[in-house]
Amino acid sequence: MISRQRIGRALLLIGLALIVLANIADRALIDRILKGAKPSELPVQAPSKFELIINTLTAGMLGLTVPPTLLATADEVIE
């Protein structure tokens, strides 16, 4: 989760969910690397989960209205 202090007055933030990054670097890959596997031989894994944070305070300052459907899909809404 991104800290509110780092968000500042940003309107929208989209970023990788940290839990997904931890799952990508699972023990099986680490074990293979420690046993001498070349990085080029390892499977490529891309993240599939992203976090969306909406700052309605900033939206209000800009005179914008965030649609309720977008607010419903957000992982976090800052009010």
Side-chain angles (χ1 to χ4, degrees), residues 9-70:
R9 292 190 178 181
L11 177 60
L12 297 172
L13 287 152
I14 299 175
L16 291 175
L18 294 178
I19 192 82
V20 173
L21 292 178
N23 289 337
I24 289 175
D26 64 3
R27 290 185 179 148
L29 279 177
I30 294 169
D31 185 52
R32 289 175 63 183
I33 292 169
L34 292 175
K35 290 181 179 176
K38 296 179 183 178
S40 61
E41 298 171 352
L42 299 176
V44 175
Q45 296 177 335
S48 59
K49 170 76 174 119
F50 295 88
E51 289 181 331
L52 171 62
I53 302 171
I54 300 172
N55 190 338
T56 56
L57 288 174
T58 301
M61 284 189 253
L62 295 171
L64 301 172
T65 303
V66 180
T69 53
L70 185 58

